[in-house]
Amino acid sequence: MFFLPNLDYEYDALKESISEDIMRLHHQKHHQSYIDKLNTALNSYPELQNSSIEELIKDIDNIPADVRTAVRNHGGGHYNHSLFWKCMSPGGGGEPEGKLMADIIEKYGSFETFIDEFTSKALTLFGSGWVWLQPDMEIIASPNQDNPLMFGQSAPILGLDVWEHAYYLDYMNKRDDYINNWWNIVDWKFVENRYTSAEQAV
Ligand code: MN
């Protein structure tokens, strides 16, 4: 059984960028629904029920065919949202420090260029999906609830939800305003710790 993880902050804590209404709906309804449907999909496969969410989605090609799409969509949804909540904090924003900042600058030339490239990937992603920063400093976009683990890549260290449900109540069609304000709540300390630690479970 998978369960909805608690947030590390109140629903209204990010309200300068994401309203309490969105946070509540997104966590209690959308994320909960992915978990419920994942659990339902695994009902007939008890041997999979003790796997971690990382194990399930890394091994997506070997999940029984009749539940593979459900695990991909809802297991992906559970993993992605679990990471997303942790990537944000009311004390977030600003810039990373240490090795992460150094490696961003080495790859992109400046932090501002990195922000521009990540934002651009998020703005040009058609439909619903996610944008990720990978430990090799590549920026990857994926559709729906897919994520890099499903394609044999490393666990992402930062993820942005660009489904309309993540911003429409506050921003309507203005995805650019959502993303620009999202940078103000990114918890770089969390991303740095994830980057430099060997353990990257959600
Ligand atoms: Mn979402």
Side-chain angles (χ1 to χ4, degrees):
M1 285 281 280
F2 290 92
F3 298 95
L4 186 67
N6 290 324
L7 301 183
D8 296 328
Y9 40 77
E10 301 298 324
Y11 284 114
D12 66 356
L14 308 177
K15 62 176 184 274
E16 287 177 19
S17 300
I18 302 176
S19 67
E20 178 177 355
D21 284 348
I22 285 189
M23 288 301 298
R24 200 175 283 280
L25 197 67
H26 201 175
H27 182 251
Q28 293 181 345
K29 303 295 182 189
H30 290 277
H31 191 171
Q32 182 70 59
S33 170
Y34 294 120
I35 292 167
D36 292 344
K37 289 171 180 163
L38 174 63
N39 286 330
T40 299
L42 298 182
N43 264 342
S44 45
Y45 293 97
E47 70 275 18
L48 296 178
Q49 291 171 10
N50 294 320
S51 301
S52 70
I53 189 61
E54 284 86 358
E55 287 167 339
L56 285 179
I57 60 177
K58 264 186 193 169
D59 202 31
I60 193 70
D61 293 337
N62 293 314
I63 297 291
D66 62 324
V67 295
R68 192 177 305 145
T69 298
V71 171
R72 179 178 198 132
N73 291 338
H74 304 301
H78 176 36
Y79 177 94
N80 296 348
H81 287 85
S82 298
L83 175 59
F84 184 56
W85 310 132
K86 292 182 181 175
C87 288
M88 302 185 289
S89 152
E95 299 179 351
E97 296 173 354
K99 177 170 168 54
L100 177 58
M101 184 61 157
D103 290 351
I104 286 174
I105 290 173
E106 184 181 337
K107 169 82 178 175
Y108 293 97
S110 71
F111 183 64
E112 291 68 30
T113 304
F114 159 75
I115 295 285
D116 287 348
E117 292 204 15
F118 192 105
T119 299
S120 169
K121 273 245 162 59
L123 286 174
T124 54
L125 193 157
F126 181 76
S128 297
W130 291 76
V131 180
W132 312 100
L133 176 62
Q134 293 295 103
D136 64 1
M137 295 292 107
E138 291 292 334
I139 301 165
I140 294 179
S142 61
N144 306 314
Q145 295 296 352
D146 286 358
N147 71 50
L149 287 176
M150 294 175 185
F151 308 107
Q153 303 198 32
S154 303
I157 57 173
L158 172 69
L160 170 61
D161 187 346
V162 286
W163 282 56
E164 281 190 345
H165 70 221
Y167 62 89
Y168 204 86
L169 266 182
D170 289 350
Y171 296 98
M172 294 189 281
N173 58 315
K174 296 177 186 139
R175 189 186 277 189
D176 53 343
D177 287 351
Y178 161 60
I179 297 165
N180 289 336
N181 286 336
W182 181 72
W183 290 117
N184 296 329
I185 50 171
V186 169
D187 186 349
W188 287 113
K189 196 48 77 183
F190 169 77
V191 182
E192 283 173 44
N193 289 340
R194 194 170 164 81
Y195 183 45
T196 53
S197 84
E199 178 57 54
Q200 297 189 332
V202 296

